[in-house]
Amino acid sequence: MEYFIQQLINGISVGSIYALIALGYTMVYGIIKLINFAHGDVFMVGSFIGLYSAKYLANAGLPPIVVLLLSLIISMTISALLGITIERLAYKPLRKSTRIAALITAIGVSFLLEYTGVLILGPQAQGFPDIMDKKQYHLFGTSIQVESNQIMILLTTIILMLVLQYIVRYTRTGKAMRAVSFDVEAARLMGINVDRTISATFAIGSALAAAAGVIFGMTYNSVDPLMGVMPGLKAFVAAVLGGIGSIPGALVGGLLLGTVETEISSLGFSSWRDGVAFAVLILILIFKPSGLFGKNVREKV
Amino acid sequence: MGIIVALAFYGVIKVLLTTGVLSDVNQSMLLLIGVNIMLAVSLNLITGITGQFSIGHAGFMSVGAYTSAILTLDYNVPFVPAIIAGGLLAAVFGVLIGMPTLRLNGDYLAIATLGFGEIIRIIMLNTEYVGGASGLSGIPAKTTWTMLFFFTLISVVLINNFIRSTHGRACIAIRENEIAAEAMGINTTRYKIIAFTIGALFAGIAGGLSAHTFYVITPGSFNFLKSFEIIVMVVLGGLGSTAGSIVGAVFVTLLYTYLREFPEWRMIIYSIVLILMMIFRPSGLLGTTKFSFGKFGKKEAKANDTIEGSSAP
């Protein structure tokens, strides 16, 4: 039982990373119906920016918590700009064209980011600096361990989720986003600047992915230019699992997927882990394509 | 007429190979071009003609490659039956993947096929019998120019005839508008499965041929990158055009061969070409233009006309 709970805790921290990336997928899909394949690579870029800024700031002699916060902010800001740039250059000209054309472009952007990364940074993995000292706590006097890192990950995720909820629920941009995702044309008629809203969506999604990237680096201590591929795909699985377009769905899907994966690894099938994630995806698509929290949308003739 | 030109092309290359004018490097490039033509033309049937976006084509290829390699390595099955068996098993997988398309469309189907491709790769990776991560090696290099040429010719002719048949027209109708096609009495599900099955069959055969060209197969050689490469060929040539797929396959193979030394530049060039293509010319190089291959007198002459007047899906 304790072992199970231990794995559950580990699963939650993996799952929070998936959930943060999945939010970006879900928001972009909800608004322009595009699977943004490049999202996983924005996560990678965010991780590298986090790495370099953390190294630089730590050398400057700042206290660990400041280093963490500053590198998170720097990474999120630059990645948000990257997200907007990608949208403007690659996706915006395709607003009117077919879905497949947009999807192919997204795959193209994804590979462009990956291999530009390989070209500039080299294909090898790089060590991520230890920003905070890792401490271990025992839960309620049992043998269940919680690492300070895991607490930090969960805290960061929860804070970002709350901020996101606030933005989507109460700000003008958030209201515009919901309107655009409901009906683009009607939103435009009501005077909403659709282009700016889409840019804002990309900015927020990319910033969250970058935060996930920094957290990922701190957890696994190793980052490389192709690291975005698998977490990116799995985050998409998480988004579909929760019901694509739904923000709570992305959170639940991410946590669920992370937990399932950790449990499977702990049963000794770690090399099958990725396969199980895709099997979950296909089963969900076949039996409940709208996901756990999704609405069933009928196609209009 | 087209067949005669193709056979003449075959003869010229055959003479060049036997007289040793073409080096080994050129020969392996020719074999790779043939394999890629089969892959591109078969994916074009699924994506370009039927409009079902599949990004797991390398998965079918790997089923064919592994099956035929095991048959020739462990059971001493002759080359041609082994290749065909590989193709047939891949076709079975095509049916299996075609089934869920009853429920999925567009983006979801793309992701599901990606998932299937990855699952096949992970199964191969974890099965000791097929060599796990190190794959199978010592596969006899039985693919000759003659074998390859006739397999390629047959697959292009068969797929092209299918496209121009009643069934092919039904597939095009599904691409143009699924709901309208259904309303016109076309059994959309059946045709989607047929397209997947035929596409998988020829991808499997191509996989078997490539396994018997390069001695060694690993799960890593059939990953998402490979599927992506096949998509690039099809998109570059023009979705929906057989001739376009052939041109795309030749172009990408040449690019691949000459950029072998700079793998990351190759990927960067692929992706930039793809993005620019989608923005400025989504119909591909040959796309919707009606093209007469007669005056070029190449192998592509088999395709007397490309699919007319239909936009990319």
Side-chain angles (χ1 to χ4, degrees), chain B residues 191-258:
Chain B
Y191 279 109
K192 283 192 214 167
I193 294 179
I194 289 177
F196 261 101
T197 313
I198 298 178
L201 172 76
F202 288 107
I205 291 177
L209 290 169
S210 86
H212 289 82
T213 306
F214 300 109
Y215 313 102
V216 59
I217 45 175
T218 57
S221 43
F222 304 107
N223 55 9
F224 179 50
L225 268 183
K226 184 68 199 174
S227 300
F228 177 68
E229 209 169 271
I230 309 170
I231 295 169
V232 176
M233 295 172 201
V234 177
V235 172
L236 207 62
L239 279 163
S241 151
T242 310
S245 299
I246 296 172
V247 172
V250 174
F251 180 78
V252 169
T253 319
L254 292 177
L255 197 69
Y256 178 88
T257 314
Y258 290 112

Side-chain angles (χ1 to χ4, degrees), chain A residues 83-159:
Chain A
I84 296 176
T85 317
I86 291 174
E87 196 272 328
R88 278 285 149 89
L89 293 182
Y91 302 148
K92 199 178 166 201
L94 288 163
R95 231 25 94 61
K96 293 264 185 297
S97 56
T98 56
R99 299 270 285 276
I100 285 182
L103 195 59
I104 292 174
T105 311
I107 298 177
V109 174
S110 158
F111 278 104
L112 187 62
L113 287 178
E114 280 165 24
Y115 288 91
T116 311
V118 173
L119 199 67
I120 296 171
L121 305 160
Q124 320 81 354
Q126 300 189 18
F128 202 91
D130 276 319
I131 300 177
M132 311 258 263
D133 290 333
K134 283 180 183 162
K135 284 188 197 128
Q136 303 199 320
Y137 305 100
H138 287 269
L139 216 60
F140 312 121
T142 56
S143 66
I144 300 169
Q145 286 184 350
V146 181
E147 282 182 24
S148 53
N149 244 341
Q150 291 174 324
I151 298 174
M152 191 274 310
I153 289 171
L154 200 61
L155 270 179
T156 318
T157 311
I158 292 173
I159 293 170

Side-chain angles (χ1 to χ4, degrees), chain A residues 29 33-35 37 89-91 93-94 97-105 107-116 118-119 123 229-230 233 236-237 240 244 271-276 278-279 281-282 285-290 299-301, chain B residues 47 51-53 55 100 103-119 121-127 177-180 224-225 228 231 235 239 263-265 267-272 274-276 278-280 282 312-313:
Chain A
Y29 194 89
K33 298 282 174 286
L34 165 75
I35 300 175
F37 266 104
L89 293 182
Y91 302 148
L94 288 163
S97 56
T98 56
R99 299 270 285 276
I100 285 182
L103 195 59
I104 292 174
T105 311
I107 298 177
V109 174
S110 158
F111 278 104
L112 187 62
L113 287 178
E114 280 165 24
Y115 288 91
T116 311
V118 173
L119 199 67
V229 182
M230 262 303 151
L233 289 176
F236 180 75
V237 174
V240 174
I244 197 148
S271 53
W272 291 94
R273 198 182 54 200
D274 298 348
V276 170
F278 288 113
L281 170 75
I282 290 168
L285 286 177
I286 291 174
F287 293 109
K288 200 169 181 339
S290 53
E299 198 170 348
K300 278 181 233 148
V301 181
Chain B
T47 303
Q52 306 301 305
F53 197 44
I55 47 182
R103 289 169 151 273
L104 306 177
N105 51 33
D107 308 340
Y108 287 110
L109 174 66
I111 289 296
T113 51
L114 172 76
F116 268 113
E118 284 295 301
I119 288 175
R121 188 177 66 81
I122 289 160
I123 290 174
M124 301 297 186
L125 199 65
N126 287 296
T127 311
N177 190 327
E178 200 176 326
I179 296 170
F224 179 50
L225 268 183
F228 177 68
I231 295 169
V235 172
L239 279 163
E264 55 279 327
W265 276 111
M267 290 311 298
I268 291 174
I269 292 173
Y270 277 2
S271 36
I272 292 179
L274 211 59
I275 296 168
L276 293 179
M278 283 297 116
I279 295 176
F280 296 110

Side-chain angles (χ1 to χ4, degrees), chain B residues 39-283:
Chain B
L39 289 168
V41 170
S42 59
L43 180 66
N44 182 48
L45 174 64
I46 300 174
T47 303
I49 301 294
T50 321
Q52 306 301 305
F53 197 44
S54 164
I55 47 182
H57 213 53
F60 298 130
M61 190 188 171
S62 83
V63 172
Y66 272 97
T67 312
S68 61
I70 288 169
L71 286 178
T72 52
L73 272 179
D74 294 358
Y75 298 96
N76 286 319
V77 176
F79 177 64
V80 175
I83 297 289
I84 291 174
L88 289 176
L89 192 65
V92 172
F93 275 80
V95 177
L96 289 178
I97 295 174
M99 291 295 185
T101 59
L102 308 175
R103 289 169 151 273
L104 306 177
N105 51 33
D107 308 340
Y108 287 110
L109 174 66
I111 289 296
T113 51
L114 172 76
F116 268 113
E118 284 295 301
I119 288 175
I120 292 175
R121 188 177 66 81
I122 289 160
I123 290 174
M124 301 297 186
L125 199 65
N126 287 296
T127 311
E128 275 312 305
Y129 181 65
V130 296
S134 50
L136 289 171
S137 56
I139 304 163
K142 286 187 176 165
T143 310
T144 58
W145 165 242
T146 310
M147 283 289 176
L148 181 95
F149 178 80
F150 284 104
F151 268 114
T152 313
L153 183 68
I154 292 168
S155 55
V156 172
V157 169
L158 284 181
I159 291 179
N160 211 40
N161 282 349
F162 175 83
I163 293 171
R164 285 190 282 165
S165 70
T166 322
H167 308 295
R169 296 288 170 196
C171 290
I172 294 169
I174 294 173
R175 172 187 74 187
E176 293 302 322
N177 190 327
E178 200 176 326
I179 296 170
E182 186 130 37
M184 296 305 288
I186 292 171
N187 187 340
T188 53
T189 307
R190 184 169 147 237
Y191 279 109
K192 283 192 214 167
I193 294 179
I194 289 177
F196 261 101
T197 313
I198 298 178
L201 172 76
F202 288 107
I205 291 177
L209 290 169
S210 86
H212 289 82
T213 306
F214 300 109
Y215 313 102
V216 59
I217 45 175
T218 57
S221 43
F222 304 107
N223 55 9
F224 179 50
L225 268 183
K226 184 68 199 174
S227 300
F228 177 68
E229 209 169 271
I230 309 170
I231 295 169
V232 176
M233 295 172 201
V234 177
V235 172
L236 207 62
L239 279 163
S241 151
T242 310
S245 299
I246 296 172
V247 172
V250 174
F251 180 78
V252 169
T253 319
L254 292 177
L255 197 69
Y256 178 88
T257 314
Y258 290 112
L259 289 176
R260 200 176 277 273
E261 313 277 305
F262 317 98
E264 55 279 327
W265 276 111
R266 189 174 79 212
M267 290 311 298
I268 291 174
I269 292 173
Y270 277 2
S271 36
I272 292 179
V273 165
L274 211 59
I275 296 168
L276 293 179
M277 199 80 176
M278 283 297 116
I279 295 176
F280 296 110
R281 194 170 163 76
S283 53

